[in-house]
Amino acid sequence: MPLVESPQWRRKATDFFSSSSFKLKQAGQSAGDNIADVAGKVGTVVKSRWAIFQDARQRPPPPGDTVQERFISAAANTGVILRKGISETKEKVAVGKVKVEEAAKKTADKSKTILNNIERWQKGVASNDVFGVPVEATVQREQSGKAVPLILVRCADHLVISGLSNEYLFKSEGGRKVLQQLVSLYNEDSGASLPDGVSPIDVAALIKCYLASIPEPLTTFALYDELKDARVSIDDLKNILKKLPNVNYMTLEFVTALLLRVSRKSALNKMDSCTLAVEFAPLIIWQQGDSGTDLRNHLRFTLKPPPKIVDTTTSTTTWDLLDEDDVDASSQIPLDDGSPPDYGAIEVIQCLIEHHNPIFTDANETVWR
C-alpha cells in the first residue's frame, strides 16, 4: 500500500519544482539559442528527480525513514543541482555576451579599415592624409588660421624647445618603425601633438619625410630654373619667391627659419648652413619629371612597410630583420647610385638659410619664444 504523505509536504515539493522550473526557463531564455541546451539538460535532471519522488510514493520506506524526510533530502540535492545549472547558464550567457560584443567590435573596425582602403584606392590618398598631399590642400582642410601645415608647426616647436643641440640633427636617420607610427598618427589627425618621449632625431626625420612626400616642391616646378639662375643674388631670390602661392611661400619661410635656428647651434649639433642645405635641397627644390633624388626616394622608402618575403632557408622575413633594434633600416638601399648632387639647388637653399631675414621681408618672420 502506498505511503501517504501530508498535504503540506506535497504542496511544498510541488511549489519547489514549479518555481525551479520557472527560474530555469527564464535563465534558458536569457541565455539565447546557443545556451538553451544547457537549460534543457538541467531540466531533464529535474524531471528525473520528480519521477523518482513519484516512484518513492509507491514503495515502502526503509525502517525509520519517512516520505517527508526523503522529500527534504531529494529537494535539497535537486536544489543544489538547479542552482549550479542556473549559475553555469548565467556564466555562459555573460561570456557569450562578451564574445558577441568583441566580435561586433572587430567586425566594425575591420569594416572601417576596408572602407578607408577603398577611399584611398579611389582617391589615391585618404581624405584626411597629410603625407603625399599638396601643402595648399592640407592647409585649406586644416583651417587652423596658419598658412603652414600643422605637422611642421608641431615638429618645429618640439625641436626649438628641446632638440636643437642634438648632434647631426636632420642628418641622422630616424627609427623606421617610429616614423611609420608618426606618419599614421598625422594622417589620422593632422593637428595631433607629438607623443611624449619622442626623440628629436625622429622628429627631424619626420619633417624630411613630409617634405619628400609632397607631389610638388615648395618652390614649385615653374620656378626651378629661375631660382637656380638667381642663387647668388639676394634681391633676385626675394623677387622670384614672391611669385610662389602664399602657402608655399609661408611654408618655405617657416622651414628655412627653423634651419637658421639649427645652424646657429652648429657648434653643438655640427649642422651648419651648408650641411643643412645638402640635406634639404633635394626636398625643397627639384625639377618636373625628376623621378626622385637618392635622398627623396630613400625617405619615401622609409615610410613604406617592407614586403613580407619568406626566406625558405632561414624562415626569417624582411620585416623580422627590421624589427631588430640594432638594424638600421636605412641600410636596406644604397644612397649613392651615381647621380650627381644638384649643386645649384644646394646653393639656393644655403642662401635662403643664411640670408633668411632679408629675403623673406614680406613674411611675418617666424619667431619662437
Side-chain angles (χ1 to χ4, degrees):
M1 178 179 177
L3 294 173
V4 179
E5 71 274 14
S6 69
Q8 179 183 5
W9 282 105
R10 181 182 181 87
R11 184 172 62 255
K12 287 184 178 181
T14 303
D15 291 343
F16 170 78
F17 285 107
S18 297
S19 62
S20 298
S21 177
F22 177 74
K23 290 178 181 178
L24 192 61
K25 183 178 180 182
Q26 281 186 318
Q29 289 175 343
S30 65
D33 293 337
N34 292 334
I35 314 298
D37 59 330
V38 178
K41 290 178 181 178
V42 181
T44 301
V45 174
V46 173
K47 292 179 181 178
S48 174
R49 288 280 175 170
W50 183 245
I52 292 173
F53 296 157
Q54 295 289 350
D55 181 64
R57 296 171 58 200
Q58 307 298 323
R59 291 184 289 104
D65 196 7
T66 64
V67 172
Q68 288 91 336
E69 289 173 347
R70 277 182 285 158
F71 263 119
I72 293 172
S73 176
N77 292 336
T78 305
V80 171
I81 294 173
L82 283 172
R83 284 193 294 272
K84 183 178 178 182
I86 292 173
S87 175
E88 290 177 352
T89 302
K90 287 181 178 179
E91 287 175 1
K92 291 190 177 183
V93 170
V95 172
K97 183 180 179 183
V98 170
K99 289 183 178 179
V100 169
E101 290 175 349
E102 289 177 352
K105 185 177 184 302
K106 288 180 181 178
T107 301
D109 291 342
K110 188 173 182 180
S111 299
K112 182 179 179 181
T113 301
I114 292 172
L115 291 175
N116 285 340
N117 287 338
I118 291 173
E119 185 179 22
R120 287 173 182 266
W121 296 331
Q122 289 176 336
K123 296 183 179 180
V125 292
S127 60
N128 59 335
D129 280 1
V130 295
F131 284 81
V133 178
V135 289
E136 190 168 6
T138 297
V139 169
Q140 287 177 350
R141 185 177 65 243
E142 289 174 342
Q143 296 182 344
S144 65
K146 297 180 181 291
V148 178
L150 289 177
I151 182 174
L152 293 178
V153 176
R154 298 285 187 268
C155 291
D157 288 347
H158 181 89
L159 293 178
V160 168
I161 293 172
S162 61
L164 293 183
S165 299
N166 277 255
E167 251 189 20
Y168 301 113
L169 191 69
F170 288 116
K171 187 178 182 70
S172 298
E173 294 287 342
R176 185 175 185 182
K177 289 181 68 175
V178 175
L179 288 174
Q180 290 172 347
Q181 291 169 356
L182 291 174
V183 169
S184 297
L185 171 68
Y186 280 101
N187 276 339
E188 289 294 326
D189 179 7
S190 62
S193 298
L194 286 163
D196 293 337
V198 64
S199 163
I201 296 298
D202 290 328
V203 175
L206 185 65
I207 292 177
K208 293 172 67 177
C209 287
Y210 172 73
L211 294 176
S213 76
I214 58 179
E216 187 173 5
L218 293 178
T219 53
T220 71
F221 295 131
L223 298 182
Y224 175 80
D225 291 324
E226 288 187 65
L227 287 171
K228 287 186 64 174
D229 291 341
R231 61 185 179 273
V232 295
S233 171
I234 294 175
D235 289 335
D236 288 347
L237 282 175
K238 176 179 176 180
N239 292 327
I240 293 170
L241 291 177
K242 290 179 181 178
K243 301 178 184 179
L244 288 172
N246 183 59
V247 171
N248 292 58
Y249 182 85
M250 297 302 295
T251 303
L252 182 61
E253 187 278 329
F254 185 87
V255 171
T256 51
L258 174 64
L259 298 182
L260 176 60
R261 290 288 298 267
V262 174
S263 69
R264 288 174 176 171
K265 296 275 189 178
S266 60
L268 296 173
N269 58 38
K270 298 180 171 55
M271 296 297 291
D272 58 20
S273 60
C274 180
T275 308
L276 289 168
V278 171
E279 292 295 321
F280 275 85
L283 311 177
I284 292 178
I285 177 171
W286 72 85
Q287 59 186 334
Q288 192 167 15
D290 181 0
S291 60
T293 63
D294 295 338
L295 178 60
R296 211 162 68 249
N297 283 334
H298 168 56
L299 292 172
R300 290 171 180 167
F301 172 85
T302 299
L303 301 183
K304 295 180 180 179
K308 203 165 188 178
I309 304 173
V310 177
D311 184 346
T312 56
T313 61
T314 63
S315 299
T316 302
T317 64
T318 303
W319 186 252
D320 293 331
L321 293 175
L322 290 172
D323 277 344
E324 308 221 356
D325 294 336
D326 58 346
V327 176
D328 182 3
S330 64
S331 65
Q332 300 298 312
I333 62 171
L335 291 184
D336 183 9
D337 63 358
S339 57
D342 189 340
Y343 291 108
I346 292 172
E347 289 183 51
V348 171
I349 301 306
Q350 184 175 356
C351 187
L352 294 183
I353 296 172
E354 294 178 348
H355 304 284
H356 173 272
N357 293 343
I359 291 174
F360 291 97
T361 54
D362 292 335
N364 294 323
E365 182 184 348
T366 300
V367 177
W368 286 276
R369 293 180 180 179

